[in-house]
């Protein structure tokens, strides 16, 4: 009798849940073996099974149940397809895109045999896994024609573009942001990450397949991808053994690639899969035999063994400015859990720092802090301090922003070009400002002769640059720009296109990083996939604050920091953020709050090496 009672109660609960109008926050919850997992062994994760269609359900309940069942990634969406007529099942492509909903609430309306399901969307994910947060929450609807299949109603037709609709908490439970690495063009052997949201049950396999796919269009000119078109894994699975070894079998066409391209693919696969779940080691084979490239071991342990590296950030000491004095900050800017104030060996011989008068502002430092740069008070020119000596340049711009050194010996500048450098002969005043321009100075040239070289970026027309910083690996640049008409600000990222010798040629047409952030004034790299900005959320325009912005993820507002004028990423730890205020204070995060750690007007992190 007890078993019968439990069964009856279970059925009653399922029927009650199936009648709800919103996406259920939970249903049958049980730890289980995920179908299609990479290792074929037990996975320690919680699976929420979608509810199947119920006999006699109304058209509205069937339409809502179909949307609710989109959480069924583990069963290959079999439950969702049970809500559909056979012809609709054949036409539905659940993996083509994802709409991320704010919550589980659905609005259901019906007109005749067409049921319209509406919800509030906050983000969209492309078929290749790139997430774009919407500027503001937006109501979205899908019309689902219904038809009888036997005695029950089913979804008879779906729009050709319909993928998955998932509430945010379901989406972040089922999908994980993974870094897919590509090699930079040029002589420097660095790896550049691209974030993709991949289904967790098969993420290692999906990561390996993604390495073989082309990079996104905006990044493509800056990285090498010499794979044959349409190449794929010959075995559609990358198993992970009990000892954490991921085994990647590559197609025979890889043997036709040049040795350099094979080494690069090898490095990208090692770096990408090393960040996969439960992966401790990566083995790459072709035809069952280890991939071989002359002069390299048959099974390298990391991308570093192949001469490549992924530079995340510069987590060394920062430079604090207080008045005209500069000093090294070696211990107070670390994370709250880092109580080790002992200098690292490389910090015991930090170079001395020059005094810089107050009429020079917006400081930057190269990777060794052997050279510093600063902008004049009128924002028209820069000076460089090399070996303790100051070298000035004639005025060549207006509205210069903070310079940025990359790890390749280039100093980046942005502002508005002058038609003629310096004062005009007739008035003695500067010419009117011209177009927004990005310049590069080669610090390898003699400092007295080095000239700013304008970089091709025609997409800057009609805009002004408010802030600029080059990424740690030197292949991407983040910019805050403002439209001259209307004053709207945007956070952009562009790839740096270089020639084979590594010389900068142009900035690729950019992509908007996150259009939900507005009123931007500053940007800094926190790590290779996250930016920190000072700005506002469109959903809360009254609050200016520091905000963390993932390149392919959601904006994460931090607690308001009164007087914040600048954010500084990469201070002491790759996930740490510091804030410079207009009250001559330096703040660091302590839990959810900000803690004053120093008095000063500026904070500079030297460029990564």
């Amino acid at each position: 009798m007890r078993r019968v009672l439990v069964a009856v109660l279970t059925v009653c609960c399922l029927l009650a849940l199936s009648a709800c109008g919103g996406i259920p926050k939970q249903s049958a919850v049980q730890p289980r073996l995920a179908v299609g997992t990479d290792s074929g062994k037990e996975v320690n994760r919680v699976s929420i099974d979608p509810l199947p269609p119920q006999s006699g359900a109304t058209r509205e309940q069937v339409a809502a149940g179909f949307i609710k069942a989109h959480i069924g990634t583990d069963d290959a969406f079999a439950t969702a397809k049970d809500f559909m007529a056979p012809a609709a099942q054949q036409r539905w492509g659940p993996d083509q895109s994802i709409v991320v909903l704010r919550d589980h609430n659905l609005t259901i309306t019906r007109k005749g045999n067409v049921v319209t399901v509406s919800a509030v969307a906050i983000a969209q994910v492309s078929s290749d896994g790139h997430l774009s947060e919407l500027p503001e929450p937006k109501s979205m609807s899908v019309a689902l024609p219904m038809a009888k299949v036997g005695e029950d109603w089913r979804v008879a037709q779906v729009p050709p573009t319909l993928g998955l609709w998932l509430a945010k908490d379901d989406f972040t439970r089922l999908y994980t942001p993974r870094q897919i690495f590509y090699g930079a063009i040029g002589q420097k052997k660095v790896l550049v990450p691209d974030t993709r949201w991949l289904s967790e049950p098969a993420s290692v396999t999906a990561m390996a397949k993604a390495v073989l796919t082309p990079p996104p269009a905006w990044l493509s000119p800056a990285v090498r991808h010499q794979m044959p078109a349409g190449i794929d894994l010959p075995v559609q699975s990358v198993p992970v053994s009990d000892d954490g070894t991921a085994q990647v079998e590559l197609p025979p066409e890889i043997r036709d690639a040049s040795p350099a391209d094979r080494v690069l693919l090898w490095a990208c696969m090692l770096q990408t899969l090393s960040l996969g779940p439960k992966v401790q080691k990566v083995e790459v084979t072709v035809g069952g035999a280890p991939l071989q490239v002359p002069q390299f071991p048959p099974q390298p342990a990391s991308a570093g063994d192949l001469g490549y590296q992924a530079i995340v950030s510069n987590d060394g000491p920062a430079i604090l400015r207080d008045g005209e004095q500069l000093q090294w900050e070696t211990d107070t800017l670390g994370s709250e859990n880092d109580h080790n104030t002992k200098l690292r060996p490389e910090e015991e011989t930090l170079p001395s720092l020059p005094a810089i008068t107050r009429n020079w502002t917006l400081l930057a430092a190269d990777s060794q802090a052997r050279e510093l740069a600063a902008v004049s008070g009128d924002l028209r020119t820069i000076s460089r301090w090399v070996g303790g000596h100051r070298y000035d340049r004639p005025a060549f711009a207006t509205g210069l922003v903070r310079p940025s050194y990359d790890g390749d010996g280039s100093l980046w500048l942005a502002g508005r070009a002058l038609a003629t450098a310096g004062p005009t002969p007739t008035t003695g005043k500067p010419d009117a400002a011209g177009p927004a321009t990005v310049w590069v100075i080669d610090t390898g040239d003699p400092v007295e002769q080095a000239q700013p070289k304008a970089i091709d970026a025609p997409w800057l027309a009609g805009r002004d640059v408010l802030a600029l910083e080059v990424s740690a690996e030197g292949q991407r640049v983040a910019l805050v720009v403002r439209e001259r008409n209307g004053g709207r600000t945007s956070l952009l990222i562009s790839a740096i296109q270089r020639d084979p010798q590594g010389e900068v040629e142009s900035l690729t047409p950019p992509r908007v990083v996150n259009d939900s952030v507005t009123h931007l004034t500053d940007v800094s790299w926190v790590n290779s996939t996250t930016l920190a900005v000072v700005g506002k959320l469109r959903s809360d325009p009254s609050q200016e604050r520091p905000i963390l912005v993932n390149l392919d993820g959601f904006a994460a507002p931090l607690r308001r920091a009164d007087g914040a004028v600048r954010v500084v990423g990469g201070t002491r730890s790759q996930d740490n953020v510091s804030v410079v205020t207009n009250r001559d204070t330096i703040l660091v995060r302590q839990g959810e709050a900000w803690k004053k750690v120093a008095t000063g007007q500026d904070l500079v992190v030297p460029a990564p090496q």
Side-chain angles (χ1 to χ4, degrees), residues 312-317 333-338 344 525-527 568-578:
V312 176
S313 66
N314 184 359
D315 61 354
L333 298 175
S335 65
E336 59 180 307
N337 298 320
D338 182 8
R344 303 172 185 176
W525 290 87
V526 178
N527 54 47
V568 185
T571 50
R572 253 340 206 178
S573 61
Q574 61 172 306
D575 59 350
N576 202 38
V577 179
S578 301

Side-chain angles (χ1 to χ4, degrees), residues 458-473:
W459 46 267
L460 281 173
R463 294 166 162 168
D464 286 320
V465 179
L466 304 184
L468 168 150
E469 187 168 290
V470 181
S471 62
E473 85 291 330

Side-chain angles (χ1 to χ4, degrees), residues 337-385:
N337 298 320
D338 182 8
H339 303 295
N340 181 12
T341 59
K342 183 180 178 180
L343 287 178
R344 303 172 185 176
E346 67 269 20
E347 295 170 1
E348 295 178 354
T349 57
L350 292 171
S352 59
L353 300 170
I356 297 181
T357 59
R358 293 178 182 269
N359 57 322
W360 295 99
T361 184
L362 305 177
L363 301 181
D366 71 359
S367 59
Q368 301 292 327
R370 309 288 183 186
E371 175 178 321
L372 284 78
V375 175
S376 60
D378 60 4
L379 308 181
R380 297 184 63 234
T381 190
I382 66 161
S383 279
R384 294 163 59 192
W385 283 259

Side-chain angles (χ1 to χ4, degrees), residues 476-498:
R476 300 165 294 166
V477 59
L479 306 98
V480 172
V481 300
R482 180 175 58 204
E483 306 293 334
R484 292 187 182 179
N485 293 329
R488 176 178 173 174
T489 60
S490 299
L491 178 61
L492 306 179
I493 183 170
S494 174
I496 300 171
Q497 191 164 3
R498 302 174 184 267

Side-chain angles (χ1 to χ4, degrees), residues 23 45 48 134 164 175 275 362 376 418 554 606:
I23 300 175
R45 82 196 250 297
I48 301 179
L134 299 178
L164 300 178
Y175 290 81
L275 302 178
L362 305 177
S376 60
L418 295 177
F554 299 96

Side-chain angles (χ1 to χ4, degrees), residues 386-399:
V386 182
H389 301 285
R390 193 181 94 191
Y391 298 87
D392 297 338
R393 286 215 51 78
F396 64 96
T398 63

